[in-house]
Amino acid sequence: MGKIIYEDPAFEKLLAKDAKIEVLASGFEWSEGPVWVKDSSFLLFSDVPKNKVYKWDEKSGLSVFLEPSGYTGRGVYSDEPGSNGLIIDSKGRLVSCEHGDRRISAVSLKVGGKVTLADHFEGKRFNSPNDVTEHTNGSYYFTDPPYGLAKKHEDPTRETKQFGVYRIAKDGKVSLQIPDLTRPNGLAVSPDGKMLYIAQSDPEKAIIMAYNVDESGNVTGKGKLIYDATPMVKAGKPGLPDGLKIDKDGNLWSSGPGGMLIITPAGKLIGRIEMGELTSNCAWGNDGSTLYMTVDGYVCRVKTNTKGAGW
């Protein structure tokens, strides 16, 4: 499935003309949060409505890795109760954004046992942590839109007014870094650790923002617009800026209207991967040059000519 569109000749250096998009698995309700486990060579990803994390590897195929993944209560919580964004942190732990339990958690892949990294800010519970990334200094950033709540932004259990972008410092202290985005979603740190990128899933302002980060990891200034996908939304292309990752040269590979958008650090759209389905997120895997994509009910991959940042 899918179609590769070259908006600029520069994109041919990143994705070959004969590149093929491969479907690895299907039948999910809403796949999200892919992450590659380097030391074991397998992919993990969330099915948010099903409250599961799945595992896929080349030899064994698909299996359930973790259930429940984001909600441990009784009964029906919402239509998206499970985990969403996932990363493997610098300690080798699986770090999850848990919608139903409204927290950021970490679990060792060697011995198990979840710990909570953050579930409150100033005494108030988060909405539904959506995506997470780690800075090179060991701190974490995560976004907190309302998508996991039963009644979304109108849910009566909401305790925080803002849909914030937060930081968890190495000592565990939580700070609000960006308070004024309407629907912050995917996020990633530049290869040099000096820039934090945020994708906003607001159909009226479907944008990707960049924020300067100081040496301690705190966001400085108001940020700048990197790319505005709102015209693509208005033109009828399905989807919004969502999960994003960065390659070794700082290019952004972001889900968005129509599929994947590939954008230079200067904000120029150089290529697209039109998937024909709502595309949620992506991750680098294998030797760092394979792009895995969660696409509605599918998990897909394509071999690139670049590598993810940090490989």
Side-chain angles (χ1 to χ4, degrees), residues 10-16 38 133 136 187-195 197 243-255 260-271 273 282-285 287-292 302-311:
F11 189 41
E12 294 181 35
K13 297 179 181 179
L14 303 180
L15 200 56
K38 291 182 182 179
T133 192
T136 52
L187 73 178
V189 177
S190 63
D192 62 7
K194 296 181 179 180
M195 194 76 71
Y197 296 98
L244 63 104
K245 298 299 186 290
I246 297 178
D247 67 24
K248 62 183 180 62
D249 299 311
N251 298 300
L252 281 69
W253 297 66
S254 175
S255 57
M260 295 295 303
L261 311 177
I262 295 79
I263 302 164
T264 69
K268 182 179 181 180
L269 178 69
I270 59 172
I273 307 174
C282 64
W284 302 104
D287 64 352
S289 65
T290 299
L291 187 75
Y292 288 84
V302 64
K303 178 73 173 179
T304 77
N305 290 331
T306 184
K307 288 191 176 185
W311 288 78

Side-chain angles (χ1 to χ4, degrees), residues 99-276:
H99 277 187
D101 288 352
R102 296 164 76 163
R103 65 173 177 167
I104 303 294
S105 69
V107 59
S108 167
L109 296 182
K110 304 296 184 184
V111 296
K114 279 189 179 182
V115 296
T116 298
L117 299 182
D119 59 5
H120 287 76
F121 175 67
E122 295 182 342
K124 297 178 180 179
R125 297 185 75 192
F126 299 122
N127 294 303
S128 54
N130 186 279
D131 207 353
V132 61
T133 192
E134 185 179 14
H135 192 273
T136 52
N137 65 15
S139 60
Y140 306 91
Y141 304 98
F142 68 93
T143 56
D144 188 40
Y147 301 127
L149 298 173
K151 295 184 178 180
K152 313 308 178 190
H153 65 281
E154 297 179 344
D155 196 275
T157 68
R158 278 187 62 196
E159 297 182 18
T160 59
K161 293 182 180 180
Q162 70 278 346
F163 302 124
V165 180
Y166 296 88
R167 175 176 177 261
I168 308 171
K170 292 184 70 173
D171 62 3
K173 182 179 179 181
V174 179
S175 58
L176 177 61
Q177 296 287 309
I178 305 169
D180 57 354
L181 293 175
T182 54
R183 292 294 187 274
N185 200 319
L187 73 178
V189 177
S190 63
D192 62 7
K194 296 181 179 180
M195 194 76 71
L196 176 66
Y197 296 98
I198 312 286
Q200 176 163 275
S201 298
D202 184 339
E204 300 302 320
K205 201 172 184 180
I207 58 176
I208 299 175
M209 295 288 293
Y211 295 82
N212 290 315
V213 175
D214 65 21
E215 290 185 2
S216 64
N218 287 305
V219 170
T220 61
K222 298 297 290 184
K224 62 179 180 180
L225 177 68
I226 289 294
Y227 189 76
D228 187 352
T230 313
M232 300 175 73
V233 176
K234 301 300 183 184
K237 290 190 178 295
L240 294 163
D242 196 335
L244 63 104
K245 298 299 186 290
I246 297 178
D247 67 24
K248 62 183 180 62
D249 299 311
N251 298 300
L252 281 69
W253 297 66
S254 175
S255 57
M260 295 295 303
L261 311 177
I262 295 79
I263 302 164
T264 69
K268 182 179 181 180
L269 178 69
I270 59 172
R272 295 186 289 123
I273 307 174
E274 285 200 342
M275 295 303 297

Side-chain angles (χ1 to χ4, degrees), residues 18-156:
D18 60 353
K20 303 295 184 184
I21 300 164
E22 181 183 2
V23 177
L24 304 177
S26 62
F28 311 107
E29 196 163 333
W30 180 243
S31 59
E32 251 285 9
V35 64
W36 185 257
V37 182
K38 291 182 182 179
D39 63 3
S40 303
S41 296
F42 61 80
L43 184 77
L44 296 176
F45 62 94
S46 302
D47 188 335
V48 188
K50 293 298 187 183
N51 201 14
K52 295 178 182 180
V53 168
Y54 284 95
K55 172 186 175 182
W56 181 90
D57 66 49
E58 203 79 49
K59 182 178 180 180
S60 303
L62 187 71
S63 60
V64 174
F65 183 80
L66 185 64
E67 183 184 11
S69 67
Y71 175 56
T72 52
R74 298 174 63 186
V76 176
Y77 177 77
S78 77
D79 60 354
E80 292 193 5
S83 62
N84 195 312
L86 309 171
I87 62 168
I88 303 299
D89 71 3
S90 54
K91 298 177 182 179
R93 303 178 299 179
L94 175 66
V95 176
S96 305
C97 294
E98 299 190 7
H99 277 187
D101 288 352
R102 296 164 76 163
R103 65 173 177 167
I104 303 294
S105 69
V107 59
S108 167
L109 296 182
K110 304 296 184 184
V111 296
K114 279 189 179 182
V115 296
T116 298
L117 299 182
D119 59 5
H120 287 76
F121 175 67
E122 295 182 342
K124 297 178 180 179
R125 297 185 75 192
F126 299 122
N127 294 303
S128 54
N130 186 279
D131 207 353
V132 61
T133 192
E134 185 179 14
H135 192 273
T136 52
N137 65 15
S139 60
Y140 306 91
Y141 304 98
F142 68 93
T143 56
D144 188 40
Y147 301 127
L149 298 173
K151 295 184 178 180
K152 313 308 178 190
H153 65 281
E154 297 179 344
D155 196 275

